[in-house]
């Protein structure tokens, strides 16, 4: 115990030859041994696992599944993407006549009262646009537009442009409101929202989305011109306009 890990050190055929048995007999015996080992392992304390669902990461998964569907074809990944999207609608989204809002956390089977931040909104909008592209279901575009409305109302800086991380009615807004201005391990809201606006412009033909995309890019123009590597997502949006 604690000194080694059981493993099969040779191929089934080699073991069968050494034991002067058939491969079927060896395979059956190995399967029985694995069952005994698993039964013993299951008696141990199970390691803890994080069962927290985050809107942002679920949105990334939906977009990844949509990309897989486009590249690999077939219905498998499209079905998984739509299933995950419907779960997001159920557990993270609240749809009302005034628009749509997001919660950030789903934990232990319940939606938690944790307001989503701007990245959650932007990534979810992108995911729903991806779902609309692969399924042609209008509900995804309609929901994306409703979420975009909320993102613009609650997070857009009407004075200086750009998106704040926290909503205008959040507790953080009582003290200070930050803006992300670089793409790290995850793209910042400016990069996500600029691409979303470009896609909405192309999808709907409404010029207001083109203007909004330009407003977003202007809000980070100083960084784009002086340190473009800090915003590869926004640079990519610019390249698509050439």
């Amino acid at each position: 115990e604690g000194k080694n890990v059981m493993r099969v050190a040779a191929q089934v055929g080699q073991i069968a030859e050494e034991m002067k048995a058939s491969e079927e007999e060896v395979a059956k015996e190995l399967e029985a041994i694995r069952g005994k080992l698993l039964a013993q392992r299951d008696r141990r304390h199970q390691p803890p696992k994080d069962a927290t669902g985050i809107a942002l990461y679920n949105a990334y998964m939906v977009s990844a599944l949509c990309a897989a569907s486009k590249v690999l074809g077939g219905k498998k990944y499209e079905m998984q993407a739509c299933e995950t999207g419907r779960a997001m609608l159920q557990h993270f989204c609240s749809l009302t006549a005034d628009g749509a809002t997001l919660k950030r956390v789903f934990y232990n089977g319940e939606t938690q009262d944790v307001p989503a931040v701007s990245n959650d909104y932007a990534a979810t909008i992108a995911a729903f646009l991806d779902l609309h592209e692969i399924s042609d279901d209008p509900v995804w575009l309609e929901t994306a537009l409703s979420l975009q409305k909320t993102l613009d109302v609650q997070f857009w800086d009407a004075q200086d442009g750009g998106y704040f991380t926290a909503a205008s009615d959040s507790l953080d807004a009582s003290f200070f409101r930050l803006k992300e201005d670089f793409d790290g391990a995850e793209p910042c809201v400016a990069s996500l929202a600029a691409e979303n606006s470009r896609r909405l412009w192309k999808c709907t033909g409404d010029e207001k989305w083109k203007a909004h995309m330009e407003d977003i890019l202007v809000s980070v123009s100083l960084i784009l011109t002086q340190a473009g590597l800090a915003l590869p997502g926004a640079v990519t949006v610019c390249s698509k306009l050439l």
Side-chain angles (χ1 to χ4, degrees), residues 57-95:
Y57 301 144
N58 277 268
Y60 286 154
M61 179 55 69
V62 170
S63 291
L65 289 168
C66 289
S69 175
K70 292 177 183 178
V71 173
L72 301 176
K75 288 290 183 181
K76 175 183 176 181
Y77 294 110
E78 178 182 338
M79 292 174 62
Q80 290 179 345
C82 290
E83 182 180 355
T84 308
R86 287 191 292 270
M88 290 194 68
L89 287 176
Q90 179 181 355
H91 299 308
F92 295 102
C93 296
S94 296
L95 305 177

Side-chain angles (χ1 to χ4, degrees), residues 113-132:
D113 190 21
V114 180
V117 297
S118 56
N119 284 57
D120 293 309
Y121 275 90
T124 302
I125 292 166
F128 288 174
L129 290 176
D130 290 332
L131 285 169
H132 176 65

Side-chain angles (χ1 to χ4, degrees), residues 18 42-43 54 77 125 156 159:
E18 293 176 357
D42 286 344
R43 294 172 60 185
I54 304 294
Y77 294 110
I125 292 166
W156 182 254
Q159 180 176 344

Side-chain angles (χ1 to χ4, degrees), residues 129-141:
L129 290 176
D130 290 332
L131 285 169
H132 176 65
E133 285 185 0
I134 67 169
S135 69
D136 206 28
D137 187 339
V139 69
W140 300 118
L141 177 59

Side-chain angles (χ1 to χ4, degrees), residues 141-187:
L141 177 59
E142 293 166 3
T143 308
L145 287 168
S146 294
L147 290 171
Q148 184 66 47
K149 177 181 178 182
T150 304
L151 178 63
D152 292 337
V153 170
Q154 295 192 6
F155 296 90
W156 182 254
D157 182 353
Q159 180 176 344
D160 298 318
Y163 287 103
F164 292 109
T165 299
S168 57
D169 59 355
S170 69
L171 180 62
D172 291 343
S174 303
F175 303 98
F176 59 87
R177 298 176 76 189
L178 298 176
K179 292 180 185 177
E180 288 186 348
D181 56 4
F182 68 93
D183 294 336
E186 303 162 0

Side-chain angles (χ1 to χ4, degrees), residues 1-9 33 37 41 44:
E1 176 69 28
K3 294 183 178 179
N4 56 58
V5 176
M6 300 291 289
R7 67 187 182 93
V8 179
I33 292 172
L37 288 172
R41 189 178 69 181
R44 301 175 181 174

